Amino acid sequence: MILRPALFVMAVIMAAAGLPAPAFAQRRATVQEALLRVTPAVVLVAAEVSSEVTLDCGAGPVKITPPVFRETGTGWFIDERGWLMTNGHVVQPAYEPPRWLANQQAQRAVTTACLPGVLKRMGLQPGDAPDREEAAKRKLLDTVLPTTKVNLQPRVFVVTAKGRVEAEVKKYSPPVNEMSGRDLALLKVPGEDYPVLGLADSKAVQTGDPVHIIGFPGVVLSHELLNQSGMIEASVTNGGVSGFKQDRNNNTVIQTDAPASWGNSGGPVVDDRGKVVGLLTFVSLAPGPEGGIVQGFNFVIPSAAVTDFVRDTPVKLDGASKFNDVWYAGLRGFFTDDWTGALRRFEQADKIHPNLPDVRRMLVEAREKVKNPPPRPFPWFWVAIGVSLVSAGGFGGQWLHRWNRNRYRVHPSEVVRMIEGGKSPIILDARRADQYEQLPLKIPGSVRVAPEDLAGSMAGLDLDATRPVVAYCT
């Protein structure tokens, strides 16, 4: 019973002093540290469909390559061996190219290759007569489109700090708007030692719990005032769990008011410890043709569904990663003011996966801290400990001195108890002569001795050694 309070007190003292606590009392990471642990494992996912269109504008067959169709979303590594999760609808255009996509690419090719010649024969420049141009375009599509052949070439890419890496869809579940769809996809990319995210127990999530959505929203990727670093550096939005609902296929989804946008789809939703409680699946749109996103009403697939989805795959959910080990250790050192140790760990993480934005930024900060350490706060804790020890030593010394002086003292009550107990103590009156003469107090039955007799030899006194001897002195 004494050991547990002692261990608790020791952990509190170590935490206050900034010392490493024992394993049983490891400190909890701050939200800032937890999010820095997460972001390196989040990547941009792009479903791209290129095409080669063969058509005949009237002068013989030609081959046209229209602009690549591309949709982006977010993915995150679930296994360090290159396994990552995202939404099914993120990769759907490349995994199951829809019929409308082939038709769209064919129309683009026809418009690009044939329409300029038609307008030239009509004596028009593009934009001169929109109505006549639109009528000519419709007639041209009706004439050329039926004989057009489209060869689609779908691919899925993951954008990392090393560049674009082609990914293979290993398991797929269609979006929620399709029969029994769960809107999940498991991808595989070459490589190993990737940063990974661990899963939280989504069944323990409650309304009001803080959550963070991490991903690559389109508004950031396409922002005209930002450079291309946004393609490899994820954005974080914050909010809370606001409810639990059922999708149209009767699957549980978590509702959150954390902001999200196009491109956040498939992104991890993490708690304050950096554990994944789910991944974003769909947002809410305003009614009408504009269909703008209504913020505050976004929905998340629980992590329990992810666990079920990968159960029959080679994916390991242990959260182990060589990168995670050194990255987490570096962050722990940085946030406990161990700048040198943090720098060493960050350098190791950068060797495993070079040029990750968060790692590079923390490297710069750690080097600056090592070179120019920030001023340390006044050590009030240690001052308080020192003052307490000095005070305890002073009071302890006084108590010891008093105890040493009084350890043989016999109080009058003890003399009375001796007499009542039949021990009949011998009482020596050893007061100085002047005090003995001045004070009227006389002790009946006492033996008068000089104080110097007590300090020297008492061989001249005839005392009964079987009875206790008590000296009265001043």
Coordinates of all heavy atoms in Angstrom, one line a residue, residues 152-241:
L152 N -9.2 4.1 -73.2 CA -8.9 4.6 -71.9 C -7.7 3.9 -71.3 O -7.5 2.7 -71.4 CB -10.1 4.5 -71.0 CG -11.4 5.3 -71.4 CD1 -12.5 5.1 -70.4 CD2 -11.1 6.8 -71.6
Q153 N -6.9 4.7 -70.5 CA -5.7 4.2 -69.8 C -5.8 4.7 -68.4 O -5.2 5.7 -68.0 CB -4.4 4.6 -70.5 CG -4.3 4.1 -71.9 CD -3.1 4.7 -72.7 OE1 -2.5 5.7 -72.2 NE2 -2.8 4.2 -73.8
P154 N -6.5 4.0 -67.5 CA -6.7 4.4 -66.1 C -5.5 4.0 -65.2 O -4.9 2.9 -65.4 CB -7.9 3.7 -65.7 CG -8.0 2.5 -66.5 CD -7.3 2.8 -67.8
R155 N -5.1 4.9 -64.3 CA -4.0 4.6 -63.4 C -4.3 5.4 -62.1 O -4.9 6.4 -62.1 CB -2.7 5.0 -63.9 CG -2.2 4.1 -65.1 CD -0.8 4.4 -65.5 NE -0.6 5.7 -66.0 CZ 0.6 6.2 -66.4 NH1 1.7 5.5 -66.3 NH2 0.7 7.5 -66.9
V156 N -3.8 4.8 -61.0 CA -3.9 5.5 -59.7 C -2.5 5.8 -59.2 O -1.6 4.9 -59.3 CB -4.6 4.5 -58.7 CG1 -4.6 5.2 -57.3 CG2 -6.0 4.2 -59.1
F157 N -2.3 7.0 -58.8 CA -1.0 7.5 -58.3 C -1.1 7.9 -56.8 O -2.1 8.4 -56.4 CB -0.4 8.6 -59.1 CG -0.1 8.2 -60.5 CD1 -0.9 8.4 -61.6 CD2 1.2 7.7 -60.8 CE1 -0.6 8.1 -62.9 CE2 1.6 7.3 -62.1 CZ 0.7 7.5 -63.1
V158 N 0.0 7.8 -56.1 CA 0.2 8.3 -54.8 C 1.3 9.3 -54.8 O 2.4 9.0 -55.3 CB 0.4 7.2 -53.7 CG1 0.8 7.8 -52.4 CG2 -0.8 6.3 -53.6
V159 N 1.1 10.5 -54.4 CA 2.1 11.6 -54.4 C 2.8 11.6 -53.1 O 2.2 12.0 -52.1 CB 1.5 12.9 -54.8 CG1 2.6 14.0 -54.9 CG2 0.7 12.9 -56.1
T160 N 4.1 11.3 -53.1 CA 4.9 11.3 -51.8 C 6.0 12.3 -52.0 O 6.1 13.0 -53.1 CB 5.4 10.0 -51.5 OG1 6.5 9.6 -52.5 CG2 4.4 8.9 -51.5
A161 N 6.8 12.5 -51.0 CA 7.9 13.4 -51.0 C 9.0 12.9 -52.1 O 9.8 13.7 -52.6 CB 8.6 13.5 -49.7
K162 N 8.9 11.6 -52.4 CA 9.8 11.1 -53.4 C 9.3 11.3 -54.9 O 10.0 11.0 -55.8 CB 10.1 9.6 -53.2 CG 10.7 9.3 -51.9 CD 10.9 7.8 -51.7 CE 11.6 7.4 -50.4 NZ 11.8 6.0 -50.2
G163 N 8.0 11.7 -55.0 CA 7.4 11.9 -56.3 C 6.2 11.1 -56.4 O 5.6 10.5 -55.5
R164 N 5.7 11.0 -57.7 CA 4.5 10.2 -58.0 C 4.9 8.7 -58.0 O 5.8 8.3 -58.7 CB 3.9 10.6 -59.3 CG 3.2 12.0 -59.2 CD 3.1 12.6 -60.6 NE 2.5 11.7 -61.6 CZ 1.3 11.6 -62.0 NH1 0.4 12.5 -61.5 NH2 0.9 10.8 -62.9
V165 N 4.1 7.9 -57.3 CA 4.3 6.4 -57.3 C 3.0 5.8 -57.7 O 1.9 6.1 -57.1 CB 4.7 6.0 -55.8 CG1 4.9 4.5 -55.8 CG2 5.9 6.7 -55.3
E166 N 3.1 4.9 -58.7 CA 1.9 4.2 -59.2 C 1.4 3.2 -58.1 O 2.2 2.5 -57.5 CB 2.1 3.5 -60.5 CG 0.8 3.0 -61.1 CD 1.0 2.7 -62.6 OE1 2.1 2.9 -63.1 OE2 0.0 2.2 -63.2
A167 N 0.1 3.2 -57.9 CA -0.5 2.3 -56.9 C -1.4 1.3 -57.5 O -2.0 1.6 -58.6 CB -1.2 3.1 -55.8
E168 N -1.5 0.2 -56.9 CA -2.4 -0.9 -57.3 C -3.6 -1.0 -56.3 O -3.3 -1.1 -55.1 CB -1.6 -2.2 -57.4 CG -2.5 -3.4 -57.9 CD -1.7 -4.7 -58.0 OE1 -0.5 -4.6 -57.7 OE2 -2.3 -5.7 -58.3
V169 N -4.8 -1.1 -56.9 CA -6.0 -1.3 -56.0 C -6.1 -2.7 -55.7 O -6.3 -3.6 -56.6 CB -7.2 -0.8 -56.7 CG1 -8.4 -1.0 -55.8 CG2 -7.1 0.7 -57.1
K170 N -5.9 -3.1 -54.4 CA -5.9 -4.5 -54.0 C -7.3 -4.9 -53.5 O -7.6 -6.1 -53.6 CB -4.9 -4.7 -52.8 CG -3.4 -4.6 -53.3 CD -3.1 -5.7 -54.2 CE -1.6 -5.8 -54.5 NZ -1.3 -7.0 -55.4
K171 N -8.1 -4.0 -53.0 CA -9.4 -4.3 -52.5 C -10.3 -3.1 -52.7 O -9.8 -2.0 -52.4 CB -9.4 -4.9 -51.1 CG -10.8 -5.4 -50.7 CD -10.7 -6.1 -49.3 CE -12.1 -6.7 -48.9 NZ -12.0 -7.3 -47.6
Y172 N -11.5 -3.3 -53.1 CA -12.3 -2.1 -53.4 C -13.8 -2.4 -53.0 O -14.3 -3.5 -53.1 CB -12.3 -1.9 -54.9 CG -13.2 -0.9 -55.5 CD1 -13.0 0.5 -55.4 CD2 -14.4 -1.3 -56.1 CE1 -13.8 1.4 -55.9 CE2 -15.3 -0.4 -56.6 CZ -15.0 1.0 -56.5 OH -15.9 1.9 -57.0
S173 N -14.4 -1.3 -52.4 CA -15.8 -1.3 -52.1 C -16.4 -0.1 -52.7 O -15.9 1.0 -52.5 CB -16.1 -1.4 -50.6 OG -17.4 -1.3 -50.3
P174 N -17.5 -0.1 -53.5 CA -18.0 1.0 -54.2 C -18.5 2.1 -53.2 O -18.7 1.8 -52.0 CB -19.1 0.5 -55.1 CG -19.5 -0.8 -54.4 CD -18.3 -1.3 -53.8
P175 N -18.8 3.3 -53.8 CA -19.4 4.4 -52.9 C -20.7 4.0 -52.3 O -21.3 3.0 -52.7 CB -19.5 5.5 -53.9 CG -18.5 5.2 -55.0 CD -18.5 3.8 -55.1
V176 N -21.1 4.8 -51.3 CA -22.3 4.5 -50.6 C -23.6 4.5 -51.5 O -24.5 3.8 -51.2 CB -22.5 5.5 -49.4 CG1 -23.8 5.3 -48.7 CG2 -21.3 5.3 -48.5
N177 N -23.5 5.3 -52.5 CA -24.7 5.4 -53.4 C -25.0 4.2 -54.3 O -25.9 4.2 -55.0 CB -24.7 6.7 -54.2 CG -23.5 6.8 -55.1 OD1 -22.7 5.9 -55.1 ND2 -23.3 7.9 -55.8
E178 N -24.1 3.2 -54.2 CA -24.3 2.0 -54.9 C -24.6 0.9 -54.0 O -24.4 1.0 -52.8 CB -23.0 1.6 -55.7 CG -22.6 2.7 -56.7 CD -21.4 2.3 -57.6 OE1 -21.1 1.1 -57.6 OE2 -20.8 3.2 -58.1
M179 N -25.2 -0.2 -54.5 CA -25.7 -1.3 -53.6 C -24.6 -1.8 -52.7 O -23.5 -2.2 -53.2 CB -26.2 -2.4 -54.5 CG -26.8 -3.5 -53.8 SD -28.3 -3.0 -52.9 CE -29.4 -2.7 -54.3
S180 N -24.9 -1.8 -51.4 CA -24.0 -2.4 -50.4 C -22.6 -1.7 -50.3 O -21.7 -2.3 -49.8 CB -23.9 -3.9 -50.5 OG -23.1 -4.3 -51.6
G181 N -22.4 -0.6 -50.9 CA -21.1 0.1 -51.0 C -20.7 0.6 -49.6 O -21.5 1.1 -48.8
R182 N -19.4 0.4 -49.3 CA -18.9 0.8 -48.0 C -17.9 2.0 -48.3 O -17.4 2.6 -47.3 CB -18.2 -0.3 -47.3 CG -18.0 0.0 -45.8 CD -19.3 0.1 -45.1 NE -19.2 0.4 -43.7 CZ -19.4 1.5 -43.1 NH1 -19.6 2.6 -43.8 NH2 -19.3 1.7 -41.8
D183 N -17.6 2.2 -49.5 CA -16.7 3.4 -50.0 C -15.3 3.3 -49.4 O -14.8 4.2 -48.8 CB -17.4 4.7 -49.6 CG -16.8 5.8 -50.4 OD1 -16.2 5.6 -51.4 OD2 -16.9 7.0 -49.9
L184 N -14.7 2.1 -49.5 CA -13.3 1.9 -49.0 C -12.5 1.3 -50.1 O -13.0 0.5 -51.0 CB -13.3 0.9 -47.8 CG -13.9 1.5 -46.5 CD1 -14.0 0.4 -45.5 CD2 -13.1 2.7 -46.0
A185 N -11.2 1.6 -50.1 CA -10.3 1.0 -51.1 C -8.9 0.8 -50.4 O -8.5 1.7 -49.6 CB -10.1 1.9 -52.3
L186 N -8.3 -0.3 -50.6 CA -7.0 -0.7 -50.1 C -6.0 -0.6 -51.3 O -6.2 -1.4 -52.2 CB -7.0 -2.0 -49.4 CG -5.7 -2.5 -48.9 CD1 -5.2 -1.7 -47.7 CD2 -5.8 -4.0 -48.4
L187 N -5.0 0.2 -51.1 CA -4.0 0.4 -52.2 C -2.6 -0.2 -51.8 O -2.4 -0.3 -50.6 CB -3.8 1.8 -52.6 CG -5.1 2.6 -52.9 CD1 -4.7 4.1 -53.3 CD2 -5.9 2.0 -53.9
K188 N -1.8 -0.5 -52.7 CA -0.5 -1.0 -52.5 C 0.5 -0.3 -53.4 O 0.3 -0.2 -54.6 CB -0.4 -2.5 -52.7 CG 1.0 -3.1 -52.5 CD 1.3 -3.2 -51.0 CE 2.5 -4.0 -50.7 NZ 3.8 -3.5 -51.2
V189 N 1.6 0.3 -52.7 CA 2.7 0.9 -53.5 C 4.0 0.2 -53.2 O 4.1 -0.4 -52.1 CB 2.8 2.4 -53.2 CG1 1.5 3.1 -53.6 CG2 3.0 2.6 -51.7
P190 N 5.0 0.3 -54.1 CA 6.3 -0.3 -53.7 C 7.0 0.4 -52.6 O 6.7 1.6 -52.4 CB 7.1 -0.2 -55.1 CG 6.0 0.1 -56.1 CD 4.9 0.8 -55.4
G191 N 7.8 -0.3 -51.9 CA 8.6 0.3 -50.9 C 8.3 -0.3 -49.5 O 7.4 -1.1 -49.3
E192 N 9.0 0.2 -48.5 CA 8.8 -0.2 -47.1 C 9.2 0.9 -46.2 O 9.7 1.9 -46.6 CB 9.7 -1.5 -46.9 CG 11.2 -1.3 -47.1 CD 12.0 -2.6 -47.0 OE1 11.4 -3.7 -46.8 OE2 13.2 -2.5 -47.0
D193 N 9.0 0.6 -44.9 CA 9.4 1.5 -43.8 C 8.6 2.8 -43.9 O 9.1 3.9 -43.5 CB 10.9 1.8 -43.7 CG 11.7 0.5 -43.5 OD1 11.2 -0.4 -42.8 OD2 12.8 0.5 -43.9
Y194 N 7.4 2.8 -44.5 CA 6.6 4.0 -44.5 C 6.1 4.4 -43.1 O 5.9 3.5 -42.3 CB 5.4 3.8 -45.5 CG 5.7 3.7 -46.9 CD1 5.9 2.5 -47.6 CD2 5.9 4.9 -47.6 CE1 6.2 2.5 -49.0 CE2 6.3 4.9 -49.0 CZ 6.4 3.7 -49.7 OH 6.7 3.6 -51.0
P195 N 5.8 5.7 -42.9 CA 5.1 6.0 -41.7 C 3.7 5.5 -41.7 O 3.1 5.5 -42.8 CB 5.2 7.6 -41.7 CG 5.4 7.9 -43.2 CD 6.2 6.8 -43.8
V196 N 3.2 5.1 -40.6 CA 1.9 4.5 -40.6 C 1.1 5.1 -39.4 O 1.6 5.7 -38.5 CB 2.0 2.9 -40.3 CG1 2.7 2.3 -41.5 CG2 2.6 2.6 -39.0
L197 N -0.2 4.9 -39.5 CA -1.2 5.4 -38.5 C -1.8 4.2 -37.8 O -2.2 3.2 -38.5 CB -2.3 6.2 -39.1 CG -1.8 7.5 -39.8 CD1 -3.0 8.3 -40.3 CD2 -0.9 8.3 -39.0
G198 N -1.9 4.3 -36.5 CA -2.6 3.2 -35.7 C -4.1 3.5 -35.6 O -4.5 4.7 -35.7
L199 N -4.9 2.5 -35.4 CA -6.3 2.7 -35.3 C -6.8 2.8 -33.9 O -6.3 2.1 -33.0 CB -7.0 1.5 -36.0 CG -6.8 1.2 -37.5 CD1 -7.6 0.0 -38.0 CD2 -7.1 2.5 -38.3
A200 N -7.7 3.7 -33.6 CA -8.4 3.8 -32.3 C -9.6 2.9 -32.3 O -10.1 2.4 -33.4 CB -8.8 5.2 -32.0
D201 N -10.2 2.7 -31.2 CA -11.5 1.9 -31.1 C -12.6 2.9 -31.3 O -13.0 3.7 -30.4 CB -11.6 1.3 -29.7 CG -12.8 0.5 -29.5 OD1 -13.5 0.3 -30.5 OD2 -13.1 0.1 -28.4
S202 N -13.2 2.9 -32.5 CA -14.2 3.8 -32.8 C -15.5 3.5 -32.0 O -16.3 4.4 -31.9 CB -14.6 3.7 -34.3 OG -14.9 2.4 -34.7
K203 N -15.6 2.4 -31.4 CA -16.8 2.1 -30.6 C -16.8 2.9 -29.3 O -17.8 3.0 -28.6 CB -16.9 0.6 -30.3 CG -17.1 -0.3 -31.6 CD -17.2 -1.7 -31.2 CE -17.4 -2.6 -32.5 NZ -17.4 -4.0 -32.2
A204 N -15.6 3.3 -28.9 CA -15.4 4.1 -27.7 C -15.6 5.6 -27.9 O -15.6 6.4 -27.0 CB -14.1 3.9 -27.0
V205 N -15.8 6.0 -29.2 CA -15.9 7.5 -29.5 C -17.3 7.9 -29.0 O -18.3 7.3 -29.2 CB -15.8 7.7 -31.0 CG1 -16.0 9.1 -31.3 CG2 -14.4 7.3 -31.4
Q206 N -17.3 9.1 -28.4 CA -18.6 9.7 -27.9 C -18.8 11.1 -28.5 O -17.8 11.8 -28.9 CB -18.5 9.8 -26.4 CG -18.4 8.4 -25.7 CD -18.4 8.6 -24.2 OE1 -18.4 9.7 -23.6 NE2 -18.3 7.4 -23.5
T207 N -20.0 11.5 -28.5 CA -20.4 12.8 -29.0 C -19.7 13.9 -28.1 O -19.7 13.8 -26.9 CB -21.9 13.1 -28.9 OG1 -22.6 12.1 -29.6 CG2 -22.3 14.4 -29.4
G208 N -19.0 14.8 -28.8 CA -18.3 15.9 -28.2 C -16.8 15.6 -28.2 O -16.0 16.6 -27.9
D209 N -16.3 14.4 -28.5 CA -14.9 14.1 -28.5 C -14.2 15.0 -29.6 O -14.8 15.1 -30.7 CB -14.6 12.7 -28.8 CG -15.0 11.8 -27.6 OD1 -15.2 12.3 -26.5 OD2 -15.0 10.5 -27.7
P210 N -13.1 15.6 -29.3 CA -12.4 16.4 -30.4 C -11.8 15.4 -31.4 O -11.3 14.4 -31.1 CB -11.3 17.1 -29.6 CG -11.1 16.3 -28.4 CD -12.4 15.6 -28.0
V211 N -11.9 15.8 -32.7 CA -11.3 15.1 -33.8 C -10.6 16.1 -34.8 O -10.9 17.3 -34.8 CB -12.3 14.2 -34.5 CG1 -12.8 13.1 -33.7 CG2 -13.5 15.1 -35.0
H212 N -9.7 15.5 -35.6 CA -9.0 16.3 -36.6 C -9.0 15.6 -37.9 O -8.7 14.4 -38.0 CB -7.6 16.5 -36.1 CG -7.5 16.9 -34.6 ND1 -7.5 18.2 -34.2 CD2 -7.4 16.1 -33.5 CE1 -7.4 18.2 -32.9 NE2 -7.3 17.0 -32.4
I213 N -9.4 16.3 -39.0 CA -9.4 15.7 -40.3 C -8.1 16.2 -41.0 O -7.8 17.4 -41.0 CB -10.6 16.2 -41.1 CG1 -11.9 15.7 -40.4 CG2 -10.6 15.7 -42.6 CD1 -13.2 16.2 -41.1
I214 N -7.4 15.2 -41.6 CA -6.1 15.5 -42.2 C -6.3 15.1 -43.7 O -6.7 14.0 -44.0 CB -5.0 14.7 -41.5 CG1 -5.0 15.1 -40.1 CG2 -3.7 15.1 -42.2 CD1 -4.0 14.3 -39.3
G215 N -5.9 16.0 -44.6 CA -6.0 15.6 -46.0 C -5.5 16.8 -46.9 O -4.8 17.7 -46.5
F216 N -5.9 16.6 -48.2 CA -5.5 17.5 -49.2 C -6.7 18.2 -49.9 O -7.1 17.8 -51.0 CB -4.6 16.8 -50.3 CG -3.3 16.3 -49.7 CD1 -3.3 15.0 -49.1 CD2 -2.2 17.0 -49.7 CE1 -2.1 14.5 -48.5 CE2 -1.0 16.5 -49.2 CZ -1.0 15.3 -48.6
P217 N -7.3 19.1 -49.2 CA -8.5 19.8 -49.8 C -8.2 20.5 -51.1 O -7.1 21.1 -51.3 CB -9.0 20.7 -48.7 CG -7.8 21.0 -47.9 CD -7.0 19.7 -47.9
G218 N -9.1 20.4 -52.1 CA -8.9 21.0 -53.4 C -8.7 22.5 -53.3 O -8.0 23.1 -54.1
V219 N -9.4 23.2 -52.3 CA -9.2 24.6 -52.3 C -7.8 25.0 -52.0 O -7.4 26.1 -52.3 CB -10.2 25.2 -51.2 CG1 -11.6 25.0 -51.6 CG2 -9.9 24.5 -49.8
V220 N -7.0 24.1 -51.3 CA -5.6 24.4 -51.1 C -4.8 24.0 -52.3 O -3.9 24.8 -52.7 CB -5.1 23.6 -49.8 CG1 -3.6 23.8 -49.6 CG2 -5.9 24.1 -48.6
L221 N -5.0 22.8 -52.8 CA -4.3 22.4 -54.0 C -4.3 23.3 -55.2 O -3.4 23.6 -55.9 CB -4.7 21.0 -54.4 CG -4.4 19.8 -53.5 CD1 -5.0 18.5 -54.1 CD2 -2.9 19.7 -53.3
S222 N -5.5 23.9 -55.4 CA -5.7 24.8 -56.5 C -5.6 26.3 -56.2 O -5.9 27.1 -57.0 CB -7.1 24.5 -57.2 OG -8.1 24.8 -56.2
H223 N -5.2 26.6 -55.0 CA -5.1 28.0 -54.6 C -4.0 28.7 -55.4 O -2.9 28.3 -55.5 CB -4.7 28.1 -53.1 CG -5.1 29.4 -52.5 ND1 -4.5 30.6 -52.8 CD2 -6.1 29.6 -51.5 CE1 -5.1 31.5 -52.1 NE2 -6.0 31.0 -51.3
E224 N -4.4 29.9 -56.0 CA -3.5 30.6 -56.9 C -2.4 31.2 -56.2 O -1.4 31.6 -56.9 CB -4.3 31.6 -57.7 CG -4.9 32.8 -56.9 CD -6.2 32.5 -56.3 OE1 -6.6 31.3 -56.3 OE2 -6.8 33.4 -55.7
L225 N -2.4 31.4 -54.9 CA -1.3 32.1 -54.2 C -0.4 31.1 -53.5 O 0.5 31.5 -52.8 CB -1.9 33.0 -53.2 CG -2.8 34.2 -53.8 CD1 -3.3 35.1 -52.7 CD2 -2.0 35.0 -54.8
L226 N -0.6 29.8 -53.7 CA 0.3 28.8 -53.1 C 1.1 28.0 -54.1 O 0.6 27.8 -55.2 CB -0.6 27.8 -52.2 CG -1.4 28.4 -51.1 CD1 -2.3 27.3 -50.4 CD2 -0.5 29.0 -50.1
N227 N 2.3 27.6 -53.7 CA 3.1 26.8 -54.6 C 2.7 25.3 -54.5 O 1.8 24.9 -53.8 CB 4.6 27.0 -54.4 CG 5.0 26.6 -53.0 OD1 4.3 25.7 -52.3 ND2 6.1 27.1 -52.5
Q228 N 3.4 24.5 -55.2 CA 3.1 23.1 -55.3 C 3.4 22.2 -54.1 O 3.2 21.0 -54.1 CB 3.8 22.4 -56.5 CG 3.3 23.0 -57.9 CD 1.8 22.7 -58.1 OE1 1.4 21.6 -57.9 NE2 1.1 23.8 -58.3
S229 N 4.0 22.9 -53.0 CA 4.3 22.1 -51.8 C 3.0 21.6 -51.2 O 3.0 20.6 -50.4 CB 5.0 23.0 -50.8 OG 4.2 24.1 -50.4
G230 N 1.9 22.2 -51.5 CA 0.6 21.7 -51.0 C 0.2 20.3 -51.4 O -0.6 19.6 -50.8
M231 N 0.9 19.8 -52.4 CA 0.6 18.4 -52.9 C 1.3 17.4 -52.0 O 0.9 16.2 -52.1 CB 1.1 18.3 -54.3 CG 0.4 19.2 -55.3 SD 0.9 18.9 -57.0 CE 0.3 17.2 -57.3
I232 N 2.2 17.7 -51.2 CA 2.8 16.8 -50.3 C 2.7 17.1 -48.8 O 3.2 16.4 -48.0 CB 4.3 16.6 -50.7 CG1 5.1 17.9 -50.6 CG2 4.5 15.9 -52.0 CD1 6.6 17.7 -50.8
E233 N 2.1 18.3 -48.5 CA 2.0 18.7 -47.1 C 0.5 18.8 -46.8 O -0.2 19.7 -47.3 CB 2.7 20.0 -46.9 CG 2.8 20.4 -45.5 CD 3.7 21.6 -45.2 OE1 4.3 22.1 -46.2 OE2 4.0 21.9 -44.0
A234 N 0.1 17.9 -46.0 CA -1.4 17.8 -45.6 C -1.8 19.0 -44.8 O -1.1 19.6 -44.1 CB -1.6 16.5 -44.9
S235 N -3.1 19.3 -44.9 CA -3.8 20.3 -44.1 C -4.6 19.6 -43.0 O -5.1 18.5 -43.1 CB -4.7 21.2 -44.9 OG -4.0 21.8 -46.0
V236 N -4.7 20.3 -41.8 CA -5.5 19.8 -40.7 C -6.6 20.7 -40.3 O -6.4 21.9 -40.3 CB -4.5 19.7 -39.5 CG1 -5.3 19.1 -38.3 CG2 -3.3 18.8 -39.8
T237 N -7.8 20.2 -40.2 CA -9.0 20.9 -39.7 C -9.4 20.3 -38.4 O -9.3 19.1 -38.2 CB -10.1 21.0 -40.7 OG1 -10.5 19.7 -41.1 CG2 -9.6 21.8 -42.0
N238 N -10.0 21.1 -37.5 CA -10.4 20.6 -36.2 C -11.9 20.8 -35.9 O -12.5 21.7 -36.4 CB -9.6 21.4 -35.2 CG -8.1 21.4 -35.4 OD1 -7.5 20.4 -35.6 ND2 -7.5 22.6 -35.6
G239 N -12.4 19.9 -35.1 CA -13.8 19.9 -34.7 C -14.1 18.9 -33.7 O -13.2 18.5 -32.9
G240 N -15.3 18.4 -33.7 CA -15.7 17.4 -32.7 C -16.7 16.4 -33.3 O -17.3 16.7 -34.4
V241 N -16.9 15.4 -32.6 CA -17.9 14.4 -33.0 C -19.3 15.0 -32.6 O -19.5 15.4 -31.5 CB -17.7 13.1 -32.3 CG1 -18.9 12.1 -32.5 CG2 -16.4 12.4 -32.7

